[in-house]
């Protein structure tokens, strides 16, 4: 088997449903398997998987929430593909993404992990797509709000090239690389494990790559409520990374620990979604006779490109519009509110920005 796609899910049923649909489209011409590992969800995820996808995917049920690292490691141990992609449930992949990653990996035998350009639900580039190794100095600056040296800016968003650190929402590799690196360090429950694994690959002589011309939508944070527990895990992971890879004096360790504690208490990562005044909704669909309730306009893709979208909420019909076309339009038309209609057309999802949870609206 050529490829195994592993999706770790926790209470993201609606987003997971569309994610799998996009993966099925993207693996149509690849000998592959899709494995969903569920971290003890309580939102009906397992029921959705059984009713919508049945035996087209393999489901691993965890009896408790193992977190990101262990949850993925358990699933990866059961994969059969020569290549592997770790994928978040709140992502949508284009039809050519896996083919491009496979071709790149085969052409670069010393490649470690391969990442792509992630964009949020408004089409905006996510800078965590490519990062430098967060040395103590770089990470301290990052915690204090100075991103200089943290994000990898030596190559452009749409370019290809060598980078240090990739993001766990999409990590592609030869399976032997994952095994050689020991998988995700299970001391990380959530956050930081992608930095750790990327750095481990570099330490073992592999080179990580970023393929910026391939884009993946990452709604981001859909599986996570950004409360104090989130902040503790997020900033605590940085301290674990320091302890593992960088020698520090006792004074330095105490200073970093104190700084992390302060950030856990005072830094708020939760935002109130912005209210939008638009009342015109536009459905983009390649089916003439279908109409969606409460939607003002219905266009096919060709006519839609000529339509003024400045005051519209866009709903994409993923059943008839390719993800490649959707991503291309979004990345060129930022700050518009986008939604995605499920293949069964019984709900649509979307996310206004990368710091708030997405929303789900069921069709009457």
């Amino acid at each position: 088997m050529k490829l195994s796609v592993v999706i770790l899910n926790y209470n993201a049923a609606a987003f997971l449903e569309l994610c799998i649909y996009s993966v099925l489209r993207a693996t149509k011409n690849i000998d592959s398997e899709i494995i969903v590992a569920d971290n003890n969800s309580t939102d009906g995820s397992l029921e959705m998987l059984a009713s919508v996808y049945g035996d087209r995917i393999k489901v691993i049920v965890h009896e408790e929430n193992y977190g990101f690292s262990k949850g993925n490691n358990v699933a990866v141990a059961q994969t059969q593909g020569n290549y592997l992609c770790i994928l978040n449930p709140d992502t949508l992949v284009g039809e050519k993404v896996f083919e491009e990653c496979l071709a790149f990996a085969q052409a670069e035998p010393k490649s470690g992990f391969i990442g792509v350009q992630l964009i949020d639900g408004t089409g905006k580039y996510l800078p965590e797509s490519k990062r430098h190794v967060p040395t103590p100095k770089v990470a301290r600056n990052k915690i204090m709000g100075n991103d200089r040296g943290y994000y990898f800016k030596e190559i452009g968003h749409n370019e290809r090239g060598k980078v240090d650190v990739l993001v766990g929402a999409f990590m592609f590799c030869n399976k032997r690389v994952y095994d050689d690196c020991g998988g995700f360090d299970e001391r990380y429950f959530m956050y930081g494990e992608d930095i750790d694994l990327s750095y481990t690959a570099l330490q073992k002589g592999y080179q990580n790559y970023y393929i910026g011309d391939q884009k993946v939508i990452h709604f981001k944070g859909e599986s996570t409520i950004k409360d104090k527990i989130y902040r503790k895990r997020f900033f605590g992971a940085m301290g674990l990374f320091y302890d593992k890879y960088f020698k520090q004096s006792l004074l330095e360790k105490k200073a970093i620990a104190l700084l992390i504690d302060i950030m856990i208490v005072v830094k708020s990562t939760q935002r109130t979604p912005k209210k939008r005044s638009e009342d015109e909704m536009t459905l983009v669909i390649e089916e003439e006779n279908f109409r969606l309730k409460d939607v003002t306009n219905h266009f096919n893709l060709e006519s839609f490109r000529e339509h003024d979208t400045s005051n519209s909420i866009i709903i994409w019909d993923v059943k008839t519009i390719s993800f490649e076309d959707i991503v291309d339009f979004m990345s060129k038309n930022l700050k518009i509110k986008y939604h995605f209609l499920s293949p069964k057309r019984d709900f649509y999802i979307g996310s206004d920005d990368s710091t708030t949870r997405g929303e789900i609206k069921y069709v009457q």
Side-chain angles (χ1 to χ4, degrees), residues 278-326:
E278 298 95 334
D279 56 3
E280 181 182 276
M281 301 182 73
T282 297
L283 175 64
V284 185
I285 183 171
E286 297 291 342
E287 190 173 314
E288 293 184 2
N289 297 324
F290 183 85
R291 291 293 181 269
L292 195 62
K293 185 180 178 182
D294 299 327
V295 171
T296 308
N297 302 308
H298 294 75
F299 293 106
N300 61 29
L301 184 59
E302 183 178 356
S303 58
F304 168 68
R305 293 184 190 280
E306 301 175 359
H307 178 66
D308 179 10
T309 61
S310 57
N311 293 312
S312 291
I313 299 173
I314 310 303
I315 302 177
W316 299 105
D317 177 57
V318 301
K319 191 174 182 179
T320 60
I321 306 294
S322 76
F323 288 102
E324 294 281 347
D325 284 332
I326 291 171

Side-chain angles (χ1 to χ4, degrees), residues 228-239:
K228 187 176 180 179
I229 295 176
Y230 158 85
R231 297 195 294 275
K232 185 174 182 179
R233 289 172 179 164
F234 182 84
F235 291 109
M238 200 79 79

Side-chain angles (χ1 to χ4, degrees), residues 137-237:
K137 180 180 179 180
V138 169
R140 284 197 298 269
N141 289 337
K142 169 63 175 171
I143 291 176
M144 295 300 294
N146 181 0
D147 293 338
R148 182 181 301 173
Y150 185 77
Y151 297 118
F152 203 101
K153 299 180 180 179
E154 287 83 346
I155 59 175
H157 303 346
N158 299 309
E159 297 176 355
R160 295 187 175 195
K162 298 176 181 179
V163 298
D164 294 335
V165 174
L166 300 166
V167 63
F170 185 104
M171 293 184 78
F172 188 99
C173 66
N174 190 307
K175 173 65 160 42
R176 62 173 170 74
V177 173
Y178 190 93
D179 292 338
D180 188 29
C181 293
F184 290 111
D185 186 332
E186 294 181 10
R187 289 178 294 176
Y188 298 88
F189 183 83
M190 185 177 291
Y191 306 111
E193 63 288 305
D194 49 1
I195 297 175
D196 186 292
L197 189 56
S198 296
Y199 188 59
T200 299
L202 296 178
Q203 295 288 93
K204 286 185 169 289
Y206 297 106
Q207 177 59 61
N208 301 322
Y209 287 93
Y210 169 79
I211 306 179
D213 54 282
Q214 297 301 306
K215 300 182 180 70
V216 168
I217 299 170
H218 183 203
F219 293 105
K220 198 178 175 188
E222 182 53 33
S223 305
T224 307
I225 298 175
K226 297 181 179 176
D227 54 11
K228 187 176 180 179
I229 295 176
Y230 158 85
R231 297 195 294 275
K232 185 174 182 179
R233 289 172 179 164
F234 182 84
F235 291 109

